[in-house]
Amino acid sequence: MRRIALLTAFSVAAAVVASAPGAAGTGHAWFTSWAQSQDGRADAPVSGQSLRMITHLSEGGDAVRVRLQNTFGTGPLTIGHATAGPSAGGAAVTAPRPLTFGGRPGVTIPAGGEVWSDETRLVTRPDTNLAVSMSVEGTAVVGRHGAALRDNYLTAVGAGDHTADASGAAFTSTVGSTYVVSAVDVHNVSLKGTVVPFGSSVVDGIGSTNCGPGCTQLGADKRWTDDLARRLVPASLAVANAGVSGTTSAPSCPGMPPSVAGLDAGSRLDRDVLALHGVKSVIYYYGTNDLAYGCDAETILASYRSVFQRLRAAGIAVYVTPSTPRPGYNDQANLARHEIGLFVSRWSSCGGTCSGVVDFDMVLKDPLKPNSILPAYDNGDGIHANAAGQQALADFVSVPMLAR
């Protein structure tokens, strides 16, 4: 009991120290290179198993550290050992390196808590996959990000510690979610900052695996945020995705489903944006769900102003996109969408409350049916962009704007 209490205290202290945000350009060299925000719990408990989660780095460096979260766990999560290494395809890893936590090989993370690993010397490259493996001791219901849009891997129940395995043979099950791992930092003195796209399913990447009949791109990292990350490599900027499907900017809307309550932009901001490292700017892409759930323009814009103020107070630039098409908008939603568009476009800076505008609405909307996505870019639901549309969004973003 005393050992668990000590580990828990250590976990909380480590999380507080390591998660303090660092503004870009202040001389530090740690930058978040990949992220997926936790949004719920795994469908089944994990028991005496090893997990191997595949993360896709936007930038590389000479060392890494990894964020493990138990935000939505139902009890303490004990990690016996953890490793990180370049993915060799599937569940295989090239030369996995041990991760430590305050010098220890394992850590217990309390329910609702998190921890960053110590620095591990490991050379990584931009646009490559890093496999993070953890052995879970005992039984736990772990937190997860639901839309990994790739396969991640688990051993059989009771299989024990396979974190040091280079082979993926022991990892016999796949899941479409990302468990426990929520961010990876790289150490790189040449980087200038991290860009954080922040929003709902349009940021999460829904639609990006749709590349046309007979084509499958699961795990091919074709979200617009991935495409943008590839464009930003020459500018020495990393990208960390903070999208969660189904969420809103406003804290409450009349038709909001209970499953996303408490996951609004203001509630997630500290955990999913400000706790990352080297954040230089945010691309704020929220509003489509607010309108669909019946929020009015006044409520939505109040949430915008509150979040923008907090970001700018932290020294982070905010670039905002107007609400994009959705066939289900009624007249009230269309009037609110128009008002939001006017606010965002005013002085090209949300009336002086944001740093600039990224008008994805102009990229996506069908000129003949403004509530619909251009057919060539439509995933088929009229809301999300397919792979071609994702690339078009990424290509529309101004690299010099983000680099300034």
Side-chain angles (χ1 to χ4, degrees):
M1 182 66 71
R2 176 173 171 79
R3 176 177 179 271
I4 292 175
L6 287 171
L7 280 172
T8 298
F10 160 72
S11 301
V12 173
V16 170
V17 172
S19 295
T26 57
H28 79 100
W30 285 101
F31 298 87
T32 302
S33 180
W34 171 91
Q36 281 189 345
S37 305
Q38 290 212 336
D39 56 18
R41 287 190 283 270
D43 294 333
V46 174
S47 184
Q49 294 169 262
S50 292
L51 321 178
R52 183 159 284 174
M53 303 290 116
I54 310 300
T55 69
H56 188 75
L57 302 183
S58 58
E59 285 281 4
D62 57 22
V64 300
R65 58 188 185 191
V66 177
R67 186 192 199 189
L68 306 182
Q69 284 186 291
N70 193 25
T71 304
F72 295 96
T74 58
L77 170 64
T78 297
I79 304 296
H81 293 94
T83 63
S87 171
V93 184
T94 301
R97 304 275 183 89
L99 298 175
T100 59
F101 306 89
R104 300 177 176 89
V107 65
T108 295
I109 310 170
E114 66 172 59
V115 66
W116 286 84
S117 72
D118 301 329
E119 172 181 341
T120 296
R121 306 299 293 178
L122 177 66
V123 174
T124 54
R125 305 292 181 192
D127 197 23
T128 59
N129 290 334
L130 180 78
V132 179
S133 306
M134 301 149 283
S135 64
V136 175
E137 296 184 352
T139 299
V141 178
V142 299
R144 57 96 172 103
H145 179 86
L149 302 184
R150 72 175 328 117
D151 284 337
N152 286 308
Y153 304 94
L154 311 178
T155 63
V157 171
D161 183 6
H162 287 273
T163 57
D165 292 8
S167 167
F171 294 84
T172 52
S173 299
T174 61
V175 291
S177 301
T178 301
Y179 292 175
V180 183
V181 182
S182 65
V184 176
D185 282 359
V186 297
H187 182 269
N188 187 332
V189 296
S190 298
L191 294 183
K192 299 176 181 177
T194 293
V195 178
V196 181
F198 186 35
S200 57
S201 58
V202 289
V203 174
D204 211 358
I206 303 303
S208 63
T209 57
N210 179 358
C211 53
C215 175
T216 58
Q217 293 190 343
L218 184 66
D221 305 299
K222 293 293 185 180
R223 303 170 184 83
W224 68 266
T225 59
D226 298 316
D227 296 330
L228 177 61
R230 287 182 273 273
R231 292 188 61 218
L232 291 178
V233 170
S236 298
L237 292 172
V239 174
N241 189 306
V244 171
S245 294
T247 57
T248 57
S249 180
S252 180
C253 294
M256 178 185 291
S259 60
V260 296
L263 291 173
D264 59 278
S267 297
R268 293 205 297 123
L269 186 64
D270 285 328
R271 182 175 69 236
D272 294 343
V273 179
L274 296 178
L276 304 181
H277 297 102
V279 178
K280 178 181 177 68
S281 59
V282 162
I283 299 177
Y284 197 81
Y285 191 175
Y286 259 123
T288 58
N289 289 328
D290 300 68
L291 294 171
Y293 298 157
C295 259
D296 58 27
E298 182 180 358
T299 302
I300 298 168
L301 292 179
S303 70
Y304 278 27
R305 292 186 181 97
S306 174
V307 172
F308 299 171
Q309 190 278 329
R310 290 170 62 190
L311 287 168
R312 297 188 74 178
I316 296 170
V318 190
Y319 301 100
V320 184
T321 182
S323 297
T324 46
R326 193 163 184 147
Y329 291 148
N330 57 23
D331 288 349
Q332 178 186 348
N334 275 323
L335 289 171
R337 181 184 176 202
H338 177 71
E339 189 172 340
I340 292 166
L342 284 177
F343 166 77
V344 172
S345 300
R346 188 181 185 194
W347 309 340
S348 298
S349 64
C350 312
T353 64
C354 70
S355 308
V357 179
V358 182
D359 198 346
F360 285 165
D361 183 45
M362 291 297 295
V363 178
L364 293 180
K365 72 181 179 184
D366 184 343
L368 302 179
K369 299 176 181 178
N371 274 3
S372 299
I373 291 178
L374 195 69
Y377 295 159
D378 190 357
N379 178 52
D381 57 12
I383 303 170
H384 303 99
N386 60 18
Q390 302 274 340
Q391 185 68 63
L393 293 175
D395 291 343
F396 185 79
V397 179
S398 168
V399 173
M401 176 186 74
L402 297 178
R404 67 188 179 200

